[in-house]
Amino acid sequence: MNWQKVEIVNDDGETVLAQAPIIVSASRSTDIPTFYADWFVDRWKAGYVKWKNPFNGVPLYVSFKNIKVVVFWTKNPKPMMKHLDFLDKNVKNYYFQFSLNDYDKEGFEGKVPRVENRIKTFKELSNRIGKEKVVWRFDPLLLTNEIDVKELLKRLEKIGDELYKYTNKLVFSFADIGIYKKVESNLNKANIKYIEFSLETMLEFAEGLQKLNKKWELEIATCAEKFGLNKFGINHNKCIDDDLMIDLFHQDEELMKFLGVEFTEPSLFDVSATITKTKKIKDKGQREACGCIMSKDIGEYNTCPHECVYCYANTSKQAAFANYKSHTMNPKADTITGK
């Protein structure tokens, strides 16, 4: 499915064609709320961004004209929180995927604030926008010669005990290092003795998490994992999630039409309203096991300076920092890199 094309006038005064998506992902490729919050707001006011295709380098204009939902991905939304009034007024329909891991001891997420600070930020964001709009991610789960399953569960329990009243959902994934050559290369450069998850360790983790969740009662799901863990009460996730959008934004008729949602009102003989989805709009550009519906991602690779050692989106820390520095020199440019 291709997005509608519209004409826009760019910053240079040129009339150009732009994609006009309904749902924007901001972003799988970089942390926009942490590093590019002001840029996002400026570009929203301007009405578009210019995005570079990572596979062929061809630039593409993306218009915000038709957007009904923005999904934010972040490890530290603090810089975006000063813009929440703007988001409420202008974006309206949005939610956050908040990755809150604990690799502080190892320094695996070099520029991410300490876990205690991130927990505080999570609670502040949840209190401000509602816990249903803040999804907790412990992503990825990483095993090393010093971090085993028991240690991961211990760290996750410490965070979960703080967060379970401030979210409805926990999402996790097992680090698939072998299939991501950039991740494997970055871990090897950092001399990290990683261990791939086996069936045995995945089951051990799932069983331990199921026990922890007896006190939390969260919805728990895996991100882009083929392996099923349903017997542990763990589902397959959709991060760009039409079901969540229906729950949160069902008053938006245009969004519901795009999602193919039909509501049947309660009747004398059936007192419950029913929801029927008439479209299949899975994002075919993602991995087979990914459950996300289609969206347009406006981030770019090699732009996130969090310095996470397992990052799949950065070729190197140096490349990410160079692009971020370029952004800071031209922060109002229509591209995220400022170029």
Side-chain angles (χ1 to χ4, degrees):
M1 182 175 181
N2 294 321
W3 298 112
Q4 178 188 357
K5 295 285 182 68
V6 298
E7 286 190 345
I8 64 167
V9 178
N10 67 16
D11 290 354
D12 295 325
E14 301 169 329
T15 300
V16 294
L17 274 179
Q19 278 191 357
I22 304 297
I23 301 168
V24 152
S25 168
S27 153
R28 289 183 179 92
S29 305
T30 193
D31 194 327
I32 286 177
T34 301
F35 299 108
Y36 303 98
D38 294 346
W39 173 82
F40 176 86
V41 170
D42 285 340
R43 295 319 307 169
W44 190 275
K45 292 175 182 177
Y48 81 95
V49 296
K50 189 177 181 181
W51 175 84
K52 186 175 71 174
N53 188 308
F55 301 106
N56 59 22
V58 175
L60 173 76
Y61 289 97
V62 181
S63 168
F64 294 152
K65 177 182 178 181
N66 294 341
I67 289 176
K68 293 298 176 183
V69 181
V70 177
V71 180
F72 293 107
W73 310 65
T74 187
K75 292 186 176 178
N76 176 26
K78 194 77 173 178
M80 182 63 87
M81 290 175 70
K82 67 177 180 287
H83 296 302
L84 290 177
D85 287 342
F86 177 88
L87 297 185
D88 288 340
K89 183 178 179 181
N90 296 279
V91 179
K92 297 180 181 178
N93 301 335
Y94 65 90
Y95 62 91
F96 281 79
Q97 300 274 351
F98 192 148
S99 293
L100 209 172
N101 312 320
D102 182 2
Y103 298 117
D104 282 3
K105 180 181 176 182
E106 293 76 20
F108 288 168
E109 299 170 329
K111 292 293 191 292
V112 176
R114 299 288 298 177
V115 67
E116 294 83 5
N117 293 331
R118 284 176 281 141
I119 288 172
K120 182 180 178 182
T121 299
F122 194 107
K123 292 178 179 179
E124 290 174 357
L125 181 63
S126 175
N127 285 334
R128 171 61 177 77
I129 68 173
K131 68 177 185 176
E132 68 281 355
K133 293 174 70 175
V134 189
V135 178
W136 172 31
R137 303 175 70 89
F138 199 111
D139 178 37
L141 297 166
L142 188 62
L143 295 176
T144 72
N145 56 348
E146 295 182 351
I147 304 175
D148 59 11
V149 170
K150 289 184 176 60
E151 179 62 20
L152 278 176
L153 287 168
K154 179 182 174 182
R155 297 184 188 191
L156 192 138
E157 180 178 18
K158 184 179 178 181
I159 298 173
D161 285 348
E162 292 277 356
L163 296 187
Y164 76 95
K165 294 180 181 179
Y166 297 89
T167 186
N168 291 335
K169 191 172 190 178
L170 165 61
V171 177
F172 69 90
S173 70
F174 303 109
D176 296 316
I177 299 163
I179 65 172
Y180 288 107
K181 294 306 176 185
K182 272 194 284 189
V183 177
E184 187 175 34
S185 174
N186 288 336
L187 288 173
N188 288 334
K189 286 177 186 176
N191 198 31
I192 294 168
K193 307 300 181 184
Y194 63 85
I195 300 169
E196 292 275 14
F197 272 90
S198 64
L199 175 59
E200 183 181 45
T201 50
M202 284 192 287
L203 293 175
E204 180 187 355
F205 178 83
E207 184 177 5
L209 182 54
Q210 183 184 41
K211 291 176 181 176
L212 292 177
N213 199 40
K214 288 179 180 178
K215 56 180 173 178
W216 300 336
E217 297 183 341
L218 295 172
E219 181 185 352
I220 299 183
T222 56
C223 179
E225 295 288 348
K226 292 181 180 180
F227 190 70
L229 297 171
N230 300 75
K231 69 178 182 178
F232 299 102
I234 299 171
N235 302 314
H236 291 287
N237 195 49
K238 294 184 284 188
C239 303
I240 311 294
D241 186 350
D242 54 339
D243 292 322
L244 181 59
M245 293 175 195
I246 293 166
D247 186 39
L248 295 178
F249 314 129
H250 55 269
Q251 301 296 336
D252 190 318
E253 293 182 4
E254 290 184 36
L255 174 62
M256 294 303 103
K257 183 178 179 181
F258 168 75
L259 296 177
V261 174
E262 294 180 356
F263 296 97
T264 303
E265 296 297 327
S267 67
L268 181 64
F269 304 102
D270 185 359
V271 296
S272 60
T274 58
I275 297 171
T276 304
K277 291 191 286 187
T278 63
K279 289 183 182 178
K280 291 183 179 180
I281 49 175
K282 184 182 185 303
D283 191 338
K284 296 178 181 179
Q286 302 300 323
R287 290 171 287 171
E288 183 182 347
C290 176
C292 289
I293 65 169
M294 61 182 297
S295 64
K296 176 58 190 167
D297 199 295
I298 59 168
E300 291 189 23
Y301 291 142
N302 290 314
T303 59
C304 184
H306 272 315
E307 296 189 3
C308 300
V309 295
Y310 52 76
C311 184
Y312 66 86
N314 288 343
T315 305
S316 68
K317 296 176 184 178
Q318 293 77 16
F321 180 75
N323 280 324
Y324 180 64
K325 185 177 181 181
S326 175
H327 159 78
T328 61
M329 295 175 68
N330 192 11
K332 294 186 180 292
D334 55 7
T335 63
I336 199 167
T337 59
K339 297 176 182 176

